[in-house]
Amino acid sequence: MIKVAVLGATGYAGIELVRLLTAHPEVSLEILGSQSFKGQKISEVYPNLAGILDKECEEVDLERVKECDVAFTALPHGASKTVIPALLETGVKVIDLSGDYRYDDAAVYEKWYGEPHSSPELLQESVYGLCELHRERIKKARLIGNPGCYTTCSILGAAPLLAKGLADDKNIIIDAKSGVTGAGRGTNPFCECTESTKAYKVATHRHTSEIEQELSNISKKEIILSFTPHLIPQKRGILATIYMNLTKPCTTEELQKLYADYYKDEFFVRVKKAGELPETKHVAGSNFVDIGVCVDERLNRAIVVSALDNIVKGAAGQAIQNMNLMFGLPEDTALKHAGFYL
Amino acid sequence: MIKVAVLGATGYAGIELVRLLTAHPEVSLEILGSQSFKGQKISEVYPNLAGILDKECEEVDLERVKECDVAFTALPHGASKTVIPALLETGVKVIDLSGDYRYDDAAVYEKWYGEPHSSPELLQESVYGLCELHRERIKKARLIGNPGCYTTCSILGAAPLLAKGLADDKNIIIDAKSGVTGAGRGTNPFCECTESTKAYKVATHRHTSEIEQELSNISKKEIILSFTPHLIPQKRGILATIYMNLTKPCTTEELQKLYADYYKDEFFVRVKKAGELPETKHVAGSNFVDIGVCVDERLNRAIVVSALDNIVKGAAGQAIQNMNLMFGLPEDTALKHAGFYL
Amino acid sequence: MIKVAVLGATGYAGIELVRLLTAHPEVSLEILGSQSFKGQKISEVYPNLAGILDKECEEVDLERVKECDVAFTALPHGASKTVIPALLETGVKVIDLSGDYRYDDAAVYEKWYGEPHSSPELLQESVYGLCELHRERIKKARLIGNPGCYTTCSILGAAPLLAKGLADDKNIIIDAKSGVTGAGRGTNPFCECTESTKAYKVATHRHTSEIEQELSNISKKEIILSFTPHLIPQKRGILATIYMNLTKPCTTEELQKLYADYYKDEFFVRVKKAGELPETKHVAGSNFVDIGVCVDERLNRAIVVSALDNIVKGAAGQAIQNMNLMFGLPEDTALKHAGFYL
Amino acid sequence: MIKVAVLGATGYAGIELVRLLTAHPEVSLEILGSQSFKGQKISEVYPNLAGILDKECEEVDLERVKECDVAFTALPHGASKTVIPALLETGVKVIDLSGDYRYDDAAVYEKWYGEPHSSPELLQESVYGLCELHRERIKKARLIGNPGCYTTCSILGAAPLLAKGLADDKNIIIDAKSGVTGAGRGTNPFCECTESTKAYKVATHRHTSEIEQELSNISKKEIILSFTPHLIPQKRGILATIYMNLTKPCTTEELQKLYADYYKDEFFVRVKKAGELPETKHVAGSNFVDIGVCVDERLNRAIVVSALDNIVKGAAGQAIQNMNLMFGLPEDTALKHAGFYL
């Protein structure tokens, strides 16, 4: 059994992680870290867990973490990098769900986060935990920067075309629509959010830099792109619509084949047939990313639509996928279930 | 492996059954019956299943059903009783999700359904599949009348007080609020349903008779009660608020203890502590029924609130629980997971 | 023109009041009081008002209120009674949307609010602003205790049967379902609220006492009843399902006629035909209360369903209806529009 | 009083038209045309209208239309062009809410609708009813092709930059998110629609051609662009995110000024301040279009976000705005109200 600590167990990503881990056959949940709810049973805070996991939340004690094999950190923004160096010293592996360890280059971090990174040497060591792209490095990693929901959805949607060098790298536009779980616990009131859609942080969202980093690596050119996040009135689900001008003519069928080939060995990426498109309800609750492609032949432009669940493949599910890889388990352990649909 | 046929696999109860059965370790899904979608893969109709179950839907052929161990019938109203006699003759066990085989007395069926029952001898044989109440009979049954969502929620909520003879049997009122999955596939348009709540079939809903049958059995008196169904703008979830006048004074704490004792051996019934009440998000996606109780001491009236997921404990999940009992498996196989919460 | 001050203009009731008053032909909005947003334009806080009302919010200054004819107080709980005595001294009339001035008897206030009333003499003077019941007194009032949403819906639904002495006064049960606007600004997060329904404050909600006060007055007997509030995942809309045992047999048609007669001169109360029931989408955005009735003849029990919009007839609309009465305007001024439906 | 006939009064656009016209001081609703509900009162079909408009629906009789001044046609796709020639012969003016009379060129119609136009001479005569662009021609028109919701939102969002010649006309991308009212009555089931988002008709949606026609006229060049419609889980609201590469550098502030100037005399177009963006809840229920702009300086790309209510400015409201213009009334009559917000 893998002994697991979850730090930040009562945020949305944290609790989804806990929920998914209760069904993991090789995991023993040892520590549920929560500042806000210490001393309370997790099943009092999230009564859906009653009868399944009635363990108490606790403040984090490094002596206790030491007994674990892996710690997931699902902490508020900025908190990860203050605690992770000490966690690693206890000998546990760390999968961090924040943005703190996702960058190859400390200067990029500093540019987008507005402050120097406090442990640039760990940033150097950490692996970007997008399993489909960095599987082999993840297997050997001690520290994972688990990617965000917007970034996973965007990167996996754009990767195949860029890998083949078929996209004009100057005109990549990602228009992403996100459900409210992506914003974290308690952030959006029902009455302001239901029946409304908005764009926000246009041209300034931090995840732009993560997407650019990974797509630049894939295309072996520096990619700068437009990324526009939107908030839509649903809980789970991101849909990213990605526009890329083609460098040579291509039909929808050819593009579909290219994508299907690129992901042919990936269980969690489902490329739709030509003419079909993803919907967020097809992936809600699951670790799948669904991708549909279309060519606008009048304009020789590819339009790629990708969808995932913010807190599964976009957070907790991918974190478990990373753990499975790091501990030599089948990659889909505890993740091989269909989305809810309803 | 239990060989399973699902007839009506593409309705809401049917597809939830299929989804849950894909995670059942002892089940082999042999037949996905669907008139409307025969020849199509189930994963084309419900793309959440892609990569997990890509089997074709088919018209039902009794020769093929014969090879199965059990058939679930999740057919449109009235269709079950035309096909079930033939199914039983093939030797399979049948778990029927319709109202057709839920009555002890053919006259009650006729009164509420407006026509004589076509196979009253099977009605006699069939067992009402509310596992918590009829476990021993279910284990030996060949035909199960799997209860509906309103009825499971209402009966389990009222049972303990009636079993103890502590409720005035003349003033039982059940006010139930149901999500839209309870109404079946394609019945309610988004724009008419979202942001709206209504009562319907006041004093005339057929499930009243099922509730009365079971509560009469429990209380050993003829129970006639008021049952009011409401439609609320959510997919999954029923919340039943049950009002019963107490025959002798009692505190909330005493009532809570009575309920907790009554269900102390039931994994799927979670009685809340005094002062806590269920919410449908705590049970959505799970097979649990959550029950909270309260005494209005000014009026010596018990108010019991019970909650479940319409298509899990209220349909597909309970059907699997029945199958587990009938085939000697642990009752919670494939059902021991927490609700989604988010 | 009536000069109006709105204190608490940026809460949900306040902003709905402001929105409705922008379309009132006899009103000049002089003061938009808001502690939290003073110095900001109301149309910056609520951009739906841009181009229509771009007035600044301000802290309340009694010298400026003095110039007004009427002040609406839509303040946080408990704040009204600290400011209203001073407001009245400036000579303005006051319509208070809080619970502070809704009681005939200071002892009842004290019992349910847990502290003595600070201005019992004003409580004595204030009129309960349920226009359909107290129209003549409202016309002459200086201080109105504008009723809440649950109470308006419940009282108007139960009144006719109690006025005729046809209900057993020991078994009145009101099961009310409320949208989230009823809970006020910023109180319920989207992800916790959507796709979920719950009961809360069972047998202890303060509005029980208001309902009992008014129904006791109507029936000329002391009424004690069960009131159960529920939160449902929609913004606007309350649906109250009211159960009353009949003291003599009666058909649905007879009951419908009784209700239709009782409200025959009331523009804002629409009694449905026998066999029809209200839905909250029929009243959302409007000042109407829709009422449907049904008799469960097996039990000789009346089931009355009433519906209104929490922040219109349940708050801001009714407040304007009170103002219209107090200033001799047609009662439906600025309120004679249909609900949105969509 | 303007005598009005509404043909197709019970579809979503039709009923919104009827609802808004009940508050129009210069209109007398003479005919409510409905095939499906003839003989029934409109207030039985849409009970929100009870007490306000209890008129019967009727089959259309040209003799009765003749008595009217204007007919609105809100008919199912394709039906308009079979009835409008006859309507015009009765002497009434016609405002058509379908796509049938929105084209300058019959060949474009034929290309996108797949069949020749049956009355090309009327197509020649008809005026595209986007009031902000064609006000003077609308005033004199006999036949209006009232634009759709996607098109109004997209055209008004892109127009200023194209009019100034500041956008690269080869890289215009419009990513539009629409609420479900845009799809018409009864088209989308609640359970399939709530909690889900999808793109559809990528690169093939007919409204692309309308947008291209109008933007080509404005820019005096042939514009071909990408238009991607999405369905989002809300009733009212379209948000269009428009990407245009700038032909010369420009700041957000400069772009904002350009937009504000372009629309400075337009009551119904509200240009947000630099740094602010529209949300659909700000326009829901109103005839406003809200537009926010942003420049991604790294890429010299303008990102314009525009929002409106599908069935008000995107259908019924704009139709009334057209009528007001055609009959010499103030353009904002019956339309000068704020959106609901809640």
Side-chain angles (χ1 to χ4, degrees), chain A residues 37 42 64 135-136 220 224 245 278 281 305 320 336:
Chain A
F37 297 101
I42 189 82
R64 277 183 44 64
R135 186 169 285 118
E136 295 313 312
K220 303 184 174 66
I224 303 177
N245 291 346
K281 70 170 173 278
V305 184
I320 293 172
K336 205 180 171 166

Side-chain angles (χ1 to χ4, degrees), chain B residues 153-155 157-159 161-162 166-177 211 215 223-228 230 239-247 255 259 277 291-297 299-306, chain C residues 150 154 170-177 198-205 208 224-231 239-245 299 301 303:
Chain B
C153 198
S154 301
I155 294 165
L161 206 57
L162 287 166
L166 291 172
D168 162 15
D169 54 47
K170 297 284 168 282
N171 274 294
I172 302 172
I173 288 168
I174 303 176
D175 188 285
K177 299 89 182 160
I211 302 168
L215 295 183
I223 300 282
I224 303 177
L225 52 75
S226 287
F227 172 71
T228 312
H230 296 77
L239 193 91
T241 312
I242 306 171
Y243 301 88
M244 295 178 281
N245 292 346
L246 293 163
T247 52
L255 189 62
Y259 269 69
L277 290 168
I291 302 178
V293 302
C294 185
V295 174
D296 188 341
E297 295 192 16
L299 289 153
N300 203 31
R301 181 173 292 147
I303 297 148
V304 177
V305 184
S306 57
Chain C
Y150 277 132
S154 301
K170 297 283 170 281
N171 274 294
I172 301 173
I173 288 167
I174 302 176
D175 187 285
K177 297 91 182 162
K198 66 175 175 183
Y200 64 101
K201 291 190 188 166
V202 176
T204 59
H205 196 286
T208 311
I224 303 178
L225 51 75
S226 287
F227 171 71
T228 312
H230 296 77
L231 191 68
L239 193 91
T241 311
I242 306 170
Y243 301 87
M244 294 178 280
N245 292 345
L299 288 153
R301 181 173 292 146
I303 297 147

Side-chain angles (χ1 to χ4, degrees), chain A residues 89-332:
Chain A
E89 276 178 31
T90 69
V92 299
K93 298 182 178 188
V94 174
I95 299 170
D96 178 35
L97 282 77
S98 86
D100 288 356
Y101 293 95
R102 294 177 184 158
Y103 291 91
D104 298 341
D105 182 348
V108 174
Y109 178 91
E110 184 168 350
K111 182 177 163 201
W112 289 84
Y113 285 75
E115 50 173 8
H117 199 285
S118 56
S119 46
E121 67 295 349
L122 287 177
L123 196 58
Q124 209 62 26
E125 178 191 344
S126 71
V127 177
Y128 193 72
L130 215 170
C131 308
E132 284 72 15
L133 299 183
H134 300 296
R135 186 169 285 118
E136 295 313 312
R137 292 178 57 215
I138 291 165
K139 287 180 183 172
K140 298 169 206 143
R142 192 173 64 131
L143 171 57
I144 296 289
N146 198 64
C149 47
Y150 277 133
T151 49
T152 298
C153 198
S154 301
I155 294 165
L156 292 177
L161 206 57
L162 287 166
K164 298 290 174 190
L166 291 172
D168 163 15
D169 54 46
K170 297 282 169 284
N171 274 295
I172 302 172
I173 288 167
I174 302 175
D175 187 285
K177 299 90 182 160
S178 173
V180 183
T181 51
R185 193 165 194 259
T187 43
N188 286 282
F190 180 82
C191 293
E192 317 272 317
C193 202
T194 195
E195 283 286 308
S196 198
T197 288
K198 65 173 177 184
Y200 66 100
K201 292 190 187 166
V202 176
T204 59
H205 197 285
R206 284 167 174 173
H207 290 180
T208 312
S209 56
E210 264 184 62
I211 301 169
E212 290 175 350
Q213 165 183 289
E214 294 298 308
L215 294 183
S216 296
N217 286 342
I218 285 167
S219 62
K220 303 184 174 66
K221 283 191 214 171
E222 198 201 353
I223 300 283
I224 303 177
L225 52 75
S226 287
F227 171 71
T228 313
H230 296 77
L231 191 69
I232 50 175
Q234 62 187 69
K235 288 186 291 187
R236 292 169 181 259
I238 286 186
L239 193 92
T241 311
I242 305 170
Y243 301 87
M244 293 178 282
N245 291 346
L246 293 163
T247 52
K248 60 177 196 182
C250 168
T251 64
T252 295
E253 286 69 24
E254 289 164 346
L255 190 63
Q256 194 278 341
K257 191 172 174 331
L258 186 156
Y259 269 69
D261 285 351
Y262 190 85
Y263 288 122
K264 67 176 186 299
D265 298 325
E266 295 300 337
F267 177 69
F268 290 119
V269 183
R270 299 186 295 199
V271 176
K272 311 287 289 183
K273 287 195 283 192
E276 294 181 356
L277 291 167
E279 308 184 18
T280 65
K281 70 170 173 278
H282 300 162
V283 292
S286 84
N287 200 50
F288 289 103
V289 180
D290 282 4
I291 301 179
V293 302
C294 184
V295 174
D296 188 341
E297 296 191 16
R298 300 189 314 153
L299 289 154
N300 203 31
R301 181 172 293 146
I303 297 145
V304 177
V305 184
S306 58
L308 54 69
D309 181 323
N310 316 52
I311 51 171
V312 185
K313 182 62 178 172
Q318 182 144 263
I320 293 172
Q321 193 181 350
N322 274 303
M323 182 196 74
N324 289 340
L325 285 171
M326 293 162 88
F327 287 86
L329 299 173
E331 192 170 335
D332 61 7

